[in-house]
Amino acid sequence: LFFLTDGRVTVLSTDQLSQDQEIARCGPGSILGEMALLTDQPRTASVIATTEVSAKFLPLPIFQELASNHPVIGQVLTQLLAQRLGRQDHDALSGKRFGRYRITERLGRGGMAIVYEALDEQSMSPVALKMMSHRLVYDANALKLFQSEARMIEEFDHPHIVRMLGRFKAFRSFFIVLEFCDGVSLDQCVRQDGPLDDTQFRKVMAQLAAALSYAHSKGIVHRDIKPSNVLLTSDGNVKLMDFGLAKPVDNGEGNSSRLISGTPRFMAPEQLQGAPPDTQADLFALGCTAWKLLTGKELIPDTRLSDIEDRHENWQLPDIGKFSPEISTFLQNCLQADPAQRCVDLDAISRW
C-alpha cells in the first residue's frame, strides 16, 4: 500500500485496445494500491509521477497483519475502493475476467451496486453483472439484502422480469449474473421522448402489471417500483428489474423489518411509516409510476422526507379527469391513501 506524502501522480489503466486511459489524479494524502491488496488481483494500473514525489509504503504481510488486528482499516479501504470504482469514464474493471465472464463496460452505478456488461466466454453472449458495492462489504444488513435478492429472483421465470443466470463471489465482493437487455429505463425514455401516448402507456402498463402480478403470486413485494427500475428494451418490451429491496409478504408474525426502504416519492404512506411489506404498497408505487409515464412529471415533487410525509397526511388525488375513463379508474384505484381501498386487478390490467 502506498501513501503519497508529497507531489502529484496520474493513474493510468490500459483498455482493451491497449490504450492508456487516465482514471485518477492524486496528490498528498492519497492512498494507492488498495485494489490489489483487498482483492488479491494483479495490479492493472500504472502510477506515473507528474512532479517530484515522496511516498511511504506498507508491504503486504504487514498490511494483512494490521487489517486482521484492526478491521476498521479494511472498512476504510473498501469505502475508498467503492468510491473509485464506477466513477471514471474508463472503469478499473473494464477488461477484467471473473471465471467465464469478461467485463466489457460499466452500465450504471447505484447506491448498493454497480452494473457491468460482460461477455460470457462459454456461450459468447452478453450478460449483465451486478456487483455489490465495496462500501457495503462490511455491512451485514446490505449483504443480507443483496443475497436475498439473488435467492428470490433465481426462481423467477417471467418474460417481463429480468432473468437471473447465476451468482458468484469474486474481487472481495458478490456478483449476480443477469440476462443482458438492450434498452433504456422508462425514466430515461420519458426524459428523452416525453410522456407516453395512450397506446404506448397501455402496452407498457400491461407488461409491468403482468410482471408485478407474477412476483406477488410468488409471495414477493418489490417495494421499489419506479420508472428507473423498469427497462424498455429495444424491441419495445418491458423488463422489471432491481429486486434489491424486495421482501417476502409479511406473515403477520411481526418478524419483518420496520426499516424504511424504498424511494420516498414513490412510496405508499404506510410504507413510508415503516409498515411491514405488503402488495398494496406496490400498487401505490405503480400508480405513481403510471402518473410519471402519462405526464412526464413526478406525482410527488417534494424531495424532503418531512414534506412528503405532510403531503401524505393531507393526501388528495391528482386531477385524473384528463385521461380516458379506464386509465382514470386505474389511477384512482392505485392512488388511495388507505391501502384497503386500493382495488387493482393486475391480471385485468395485463390484458390491456
Side-chain angles (χ1 to χ4, degrees):
L1 201 68
F2 290 85
F3 302 86
L4 289 187
T5 57
D6 191 32
R8 303 198 67 80
V9 301
T10 297
V11 183
L12 303 175
S13 181
T14 305
D15 64 19
Q16 297 175 66
L17 299 177
S18 299
Q19 299 292 317
D20 285 337
Q21 300 283 344
E22 181 180 307
I23 60 175
R25 295 183 182 184
C26 303
S30 296
I31 296 174
L32 301 167
E34 80 292 335
M35 192 175 296
L37 291 183
L38 288 174
T39 63
D40 298 322
Q41 294 284 322
R43 299 182 192 275
T44 57
S46 301
V47 179
I48 309 298
T50 55
T51 67
E52 289 290 331
V53 167
S54 297
K56 298 182 182 295
F57 76 96
L58 195 62
L60 177 60
I62 297 177
F63 165 78
Q64 290 175 330
E65 181 181 354
L66 285 172
S68 176
N69 294 332
H70 305 281
V72 69
I73 293 176
Q75 294 173 23
V76 169
L77 291 183
T78 52
Q79 292 280 342
L80 177 62
L81 180 57
Q83 292 171 15
R84 289 179 171 174
L85 281 178
R87 286 195 181 278
Q88 300 88 1
D89 292 335
H90 173 72
D91 194 284
L93 292 194
S94 294
K96 281 191 176 290
R97 283 180 171 83
F98 298 106
R100 60 195 277 187
Y101 305 107
R102 177 170 57 82
I103 290 178
T104 53
E105 66 174 308
R106 184 181 73 251
L107 296 176
R109 174 191 174 103
M112 291 188 65
I114 305 172
V115 180
Y116 295 95
E117 180 182 347
L119 180 67
D120 181 340
E121 295 187 320
Q122 286 189 12
S123 65
M124 298 307 293
S125 58
V127 296
L129 296 183
K130 183 175 183 177
M131 182 186 76
M132 188 176 78
S133 173
H134 282 80
R135 71 182 181 84
L136 301 174
V137 166
Y138 289 94
D139 185 328
N141 186 56
L143 177 58
K144 182 179 177 181
L145 280 174
F146 196 82
Q147 299 285 36
S148 175
E149 175 183 10
R151 285 193 298 272
M152 284 186 287
I153 66 174
E154 67 185 346
E155 301 297 330
F156 281 8
D157 183 14
H158 192 275
H160 299 302
I161 296 178
V162 173
R163 287 185 299 119
M164 176 179 162
L165 305 175
R167 50 177 162 157
F168 60 90
K169 182 178 180 180
F171 205 64
R172 195 65 73 90
S173 188
F174 298 89
F175 289 77
I176 298 175
V177 187
L178 302 165
E179 70 170 316
F180 177 76
C181 300
D182 184 24
V184 298
S185 72
L186 290 180
D187 192 50
Q188 290 173 288
C189 181
V190 171
R191 285 204 309 269
Q192 293 170 3
D193 303 324
L196 306 186
D197 61 35
D198 274 18
T199 301
Q200 292 173 311
F201 172 79
R202 289 169 66 89
K203 179 181 178 181
V204 165
M205 199 52 54
Q207 295 182 9
L208 182 53
L212 198 54
S213 176
Y214 177 85
H216 289 177
S217 74
K218 298 294 183 181
I220 299 300
V221 186
H222 188 282
R223 294 205 304 169
D224 202 20
I225 299 292
K226 58 183 179 180
S228 60
N229 280 341
V230 184
L231 193 74
L232 185 63
T233 65
S234 55
D235 56 4
N237 286 313
V238 160
K239 293 280 188 178
L240 178 59
M241 56 186 182
D242 203 346
F243 280 76
L245 296 178
K247 286 280 190 180
V249 176
D250 181 49
N251 58 15
E253 296 176 0
N255 296 324
S256 298
S257 169
R258 291 282 174 170
L259 294 175
I260 296 174
S261 297
T263 305
R265 286 191 289 184
F266 289 84
M267 287 169 66
E270 71 276 11
Q271 185 181 359
L272 197 62
Q273 294 167 8
D278 186 273
T279 56
Q280 298 300 95
D282 277 350
L283 298 181
F284 189 91
L286 185 65
C288 293
T289 297
W291 182 267
K292 178 69 179 284
L293 300 183
L294 288 165
T295 68
K297 300 177 181 179
E298 309 282 2
L299 176 62
I300 299 176
D302 310 283
T303 55
R304 292 197 310 174
L305 194 59
S306 59
D307 292 337
I308 297 173
E309 290 173 332
D310 288 343
R311 186 177 292 268
H312 280 319
E313 287 179 8
N314 303 285
W315 184 249
Q316 292 183 342
L317 283 173
D319 178 15
I320 56 178
K322 54 189 173 182
F323 306 114
S324 69
E326 197 171 30
I327 292 177
S328 294
T329 299
F330 165 68
L331 289 171
Q332 181 173 349
N333 289 339
C334 284
L335 296 173
Q336 295 294 323
D338 180 358
Q341 299 298 315
R342 295 177 206 139
C343 303
V344 180
D345 186 344
L346 291 175
D347 293 330
I349 301 301
S350 70
R351 294 191 289 272
W352 275 6

